[in-house]
PDB file of all heavy atoms in Angstrom:
ATOM      1  N   ASP A  41      -0.404  25.438 -21.566  1.00 96.00           N
ATOM      2  CA  ASP A  41       0.257  25.339 -20.265  1.00 96.00           C
ATOM      3  C   ASP A  41      -0.716  24.598 -19.349  1.00 96.00           C
ATOM      4  O   ASP A  41      -1.942  24.645 -19.563  1.00 96.00           O
ATOM      5  CB  ASP A  41       0.553  26.746 -19.727  1.00 96.00           C
ATOM      6  CG  ASP A  41       1.615  26.704 -18.624  1.00 96.00           C
ATOM      7  OD1 ASP A  41       2.052  25.598 -18.253  1.00 96.00           O
ATOM      8  OD2 ASP A  41       2.008  27.787 -18.149  1.00 96.00           O
ATOM      9  N   LEU A  42      -0.211  23.921 -18.337  1.00 96.00           N
ATOM     10  CA  LEU A  42      -1.119  23.136 -17.494  1.00 96.00           C
ATOM     11  C   LEU A  42      -0.521  22.857 -16.130  1.00 96.00           C
ATOM     12  O   LEU A  42       0.688  22.934 -15.924  1.00 96.00           O
ATOM     13  CB  LEU A  42      -1.460  21.806 -18.186  1.00 96.00           C
ATOM     14  CG  LEU A  42      -0.333  20.792 -18.419  1.00 96.00           C
ATOM     15  CD1 LEU A  42      -0.216  19.820 -17.248  1.00 96.00           C
ATOM     16  CD2 LEU A  42      -0.574  20.002 -19.691  1.00 96.00           C
ATOM     17  N   ALA A  43      -1.414  22.540 -15.199  1.00 96.00           N
ATOM     18  CA  ALA A  43      -1.004  22.056 -13.876  1.00 96.00           C
ATOM     19  C   ALA A  43      -2.067  21.086 -13.402  1.00 96.00           C
ATOM     20  O   ALA A  43      -3.259  21.301 -13.642  1.00 96.00           O
ATOM     21  CB  ALA A  43      -0.864  23.213 -12.892  1.00 96.00           C
ATOM     22  N   THR A  44      -1.648  20.023 -12.743  1.00 96.00           N
ATOM     23  CA  THR A  44      -2.615  18.987 -12.354  1.00 96.00           C
ATOM     24  C   THR A  44      -2.587  18.747 -10.850  1.00 96.00           C
ATOM     25  O   THR A  44      -1.601  19.008 -10.182  1.00 96.00           O
ATOM     26  CB  THR A  44      -2.298  17.640 -13.041  1.00 96.00           C
ATOM     27  OG1 THR A  44      -1.101  17.099 -12.481  1.00 96.00           O
ATOM     28  CG2 THR A  44      -2.140  17.800 -14.535  1.00 96.00           C
ATOM     29  N   LEU A  45      -3.689  18.221 -10.360  1.00 94.00           N
ATOM     30  CA  LEU A  45      -3.786  17.824  -8.950  1.00 94.00           C
ATOM     31  C   LEU A  45      -4.528  16.489  -8.845  1.00 94.00           C
ATOM     32  O   LEU A  45      -5.743  16.461  -8.743  1.00 94.00           O
ATOM     33  CB  LEU A  45      -4.530  18.896  -8.142  1.00 94.00           C
ATOM     34  CG  LEU A  45      -4.774  18.545  -6.670  1.00 94.00           C
ATOM     35  CD1 LEU A  45      -3.475  18.411  -5.903  1.00 94.00           C
ATOM     36  CD2 LEU A  45      -5.667  19.596  -6.014  1.00 94.00           C
ATOM     37  N   PRO A  46      -3.779  15.394  -8.897  1.00 93.00           N
ATOM     38  CA  PRO A  46      -4.428  14.108  -8.641  1.00 93.00           C
ATOM     39  C   PRO A  46      -4.772  14.052  -7.160  1.00 93.00           C
ATOM     40  O   PRO A  46      -3.998  14.503  -6.331  1.00 93.00           O
ATOM     41  CB  PRO A  46      -3.347  13.078  -8.986  1.00 93.00           C
ATOM     42  CG  PRO A  46      -2.260  13.844  -9.675  1.00 93.00           C
ATOM     43  CD  PRO A  46      -2.353  15.247  -9.176  1.00 93.00           C
ATOM     44  N   ASP A  47      -5.926  13.519  -6.828  1.00 89.00           N
ATOM     45  CA  ASP A  47      -6.385  13.530  -5.438  1.00 89.00           C
ATOM     46  C   ASP A  47      -7.120  12.223  -5.201  1.00 89.00           C
ATOM     47  O   ASP A  47      -8.202  12.013  -5.697  1.00 89.00           O
ATOM     48  CB  ASP A  47      -7.328  14.729  -5.267  1.00 89.00           C
ATOM     49  CG  ASP A  47      -7.786  14.889  -3.833  1.00 89.00           C
ATOM     50  OD1 ASP A  47      -7.180  14.257  -2.948  1.00 89.00           O
ATOM     51  OD2 ASP A  47      -8.758  15.637  -3.615  1.00 89.00           O
ATOM     52  N   PHE A  48      -6.455  11.326  -4.476  1.00 86.00           N
ATOM     53  CA  PHE A  48      -7.073  10.010  -4.328  1.00 86.00           C
ATOM     54  C   PHE A  48      -6.997   9.542  -2.886  1.00 86.00           C
ATOM     55  O   PHE A  48      -6.170  10.012  -2.106  1.00 86.00           O
ATOM     56  CB  PHE A  48      -6.417   8.993  -5.266  1.00 86.00           C
ATOM     57  CG  PHE A  48      -4.928   9.099  -5.336  1.00 86.00           C
ATOM     58  CD1 PHE A  48      -4.131   8.458  -4.411  1.00 86.00           C
ATOM     59  CD2 PHE A  48      -4.315   9.872  -6.327  1.00 86.00           C
ATOM     60  CE1 PHE A  48      -2.752   8.564  -4.474  1.00 86.00           C
ATOM     61  CE2 PHE A  48      -2.932   9.988  -6.387  1.00 86.00           C
ATOM     62  CZ  PHE A  48      -2.148   9.337  -5.462  1.00 86.00           C
ATOM     63  N   PRO A  49      -7.881   8.595  -2.532  1.00 85.00           N
ATOM     64  CA  PRO A  49      -7.881   8.120  -1.144  1.00 85.00           C
ATOM     65  C   PRO A  49      -6.711   7.175  -0.897  1.00 85.00           C
ATOM     66  O   PRO A  49      -6.098   6.662  -1.834  1.00 85.00           O
ATOM     67  CB  PRO A  49      -9.213   7.375  -1.017  1.00 85.00           C
ATOM     68  CG  PRO A  49      -9.567   6.965  -2.402  1.00 85.00           C
ATOM     69  CD  PRO A  49      -8.925   7.943  -3.341  1.00 85.00           C
ATOM     70  N   ALA A  50      -6.416   6.936   0.369  1.00 83.00           N
ATOM     71  CA  ALA A  50      -5.329   6.030   0.714  1.00 83.00           C
ATOM     72  C   ALA A  50      -5.731   4.580   0.461  1.00 83.00           C
ATOM     73  O   ALA A  50      -4.882   3.727   0.280  1.00 83.00           O
ATOM     74  CB  ALA A  50      -4.943   6.218   2.179  1.00 83.00           C
ATOM     75  N   GLU A  51      -7.032   4.320   0.445  1.00 83.00           N
ATOM     76  CA  GLU A  51      -7.493   2.954   0.215  1.00 83.00           C
ATOM     77  C   GLU A  51      -7.398   2.640  -1.273  1.00 83.00           C
ATOM     78  O   GLU A  51      -7.739   3.476  -2.110  1.00 83.00           O
ATOM     79  CB  GLU A  51      -8.949   2.786   0.691  1.00 83.00           C
ATOM     80  CG  GLU A  51      -9.118   2.894   2.194  1.00 83.00           C
ATOM     81  CD  GLU A  51      -9.022   4.328   2.715  1.00 83.00           C
ATOM     82  OE1 GLU A  51      -9.173   5.270   1.919  1.00 83.00           O
ATOM     83  OE2 GLU A  51      -8.768   4.494   3.921  1.00 83.00           O
ATOM     84  N   ILE A  52      -6.940   1.442  -1.593  1.00 80.00           N
ATOM     85  CA  ILE A  52      -6.774   1.078  -2.993  1.00 80.00           C
ATOM     86  C   ILE A  52      -8.133   0.936  -3.678  1.00 80.00           C
ATOM     87  O   ILE A  52      -8.370   1.471  -4.743  1.00 80.00           O
ATOM     88  CB  ILE A  52      -5.979  -0.244  -3.125  1.00 80.00           C
ATOM     89  CG1 ILE A  52      -4.617  -0.120  -2.446  1.00 80.00           C
ATOM     90  CG2 ILE A  52      -5.815  -0.643  -4.584  1.00 80.00           C
ATOM     91  CD1 ILE A  52      -3.734   0.968  -2.992  1.00 80.00           C
ATOM     92  N   ARG A  53      -9.014   0.173  -3.071  1.00 80.00           N
ATOM     93  CA  ARG A  53     -10.385   0.044  -3.587  1.00 80.00           C
ATOM     94  C   ARG A  53     -11.329   0.194  -2.408  1.00 80.00           C
ATOM     95  O   ARG A  53     -11.737  -0.795  -1.813  1.00 80.00           O
ATOM     96  CB  ARG A  53     -10.592  -1.325  -4.236  1.00 80.00           C
ATOM     97  CG  ARG A  53      -9.804  -1.578  -5.514  1.00 80.00           C
ATOM     98  CD  ARG A  53     -10.495  -0.978  -6.738  1.00 80.00           C
ATOM     99  NE  ARG A  53      -9.794  -1.378  -7.946  1.00 80.00           N
ATOM    100  CZ  ARG A  53      -8.726  -0.736  -8.420  1.00 80.00           C
ATOM    101  NH1 ARG A  53      -8.247   0.310  -7.788  1.00 80.00           N
ATOM    102  NH2 ARG A  53      -8.137  -1.154  -9.513  1.00 80.00           N
ATOM    103  N   ALA A  54     -11.626   1.431  -2.075  1.00 82.00           N
ATOM    104  CA  ALA A  54     -12.584   1.652  -0.989  1.00 82.00           C
ATOM    105  C   ALA A  54     -13.934   1.136  -1.476  1.00 82.00           C
ATOM    106  O   ALA A  54     -14.160   1.011  -2.686  1.00 82.00           O
ATOM    107  CB  ALA A  54     -12.649   3.133  -0.666  1.00 82.00           C
ATOM    108  N   PRO A  55     -14.841   0.805  -0.563  1.00 88.00           N
ATOM    109  CA  PRO A  55     -16.161   0.303  -0.983  1.00 88.00           C
ATOM    110  C   PRO A  55     -16.783   1.230  -2.035  1.00 88.00           C
ATOM    111  O   PRO A  55     -16.776   2.453  -1.878  1.00 88.00           O
ATOM    112  CB  PRO A  55     -16.966   0.306   0.314  1.00 88.00           C
ATOM    113  CG  PRO A  55     -15.942   0.161   1.391  1.00 88.00           C
ATOM    114  CD  PRO A  55     -14.713   0.847   0.892  1.00 88.00           C
ATOM    115  N   ALA A  56     -17.293   0.624  -3.106  1.00 88.00           N
ATOM    116  CA  ALA A  56     -17.828   1.396  -4.220  1.00 88.00           C
ATOM    117  C   ALA A  56     -18.970   2.286  -3.760  1.00 88.00           C
ATOM    118  O   ALA A  56     -19.774   1.898  -2.916  1.00 88.00           O
ATOM    119  CB  ALA A  56     -18.294   0.448  -5.319  1.00 88.00           C
ATOM    120  N   GLY A  57     -19.008   3.486  -4.312  1.00 92.00           N
ATOM    121  CA  GLY A  57     -20.135   4.370  -4.076  1.00 92.00           C
ATOM    122  C   GLY A  57     -20.035   5.234  -2.838  1.00 92.00           C
ATOM    123  O   GLY A  57     -20.846   6.118  -2.625  1.00 92.00           O
TER     124      GLY A  57
END
Side-chain angles (χ1 to χ4, degrees):
Chain A
D41 198 357
L42 65 91
T44 70
L45 176 64
D47 184 14
F48 42 85
E51 293 75 19
I52 303 301
R53 293 278 187 276

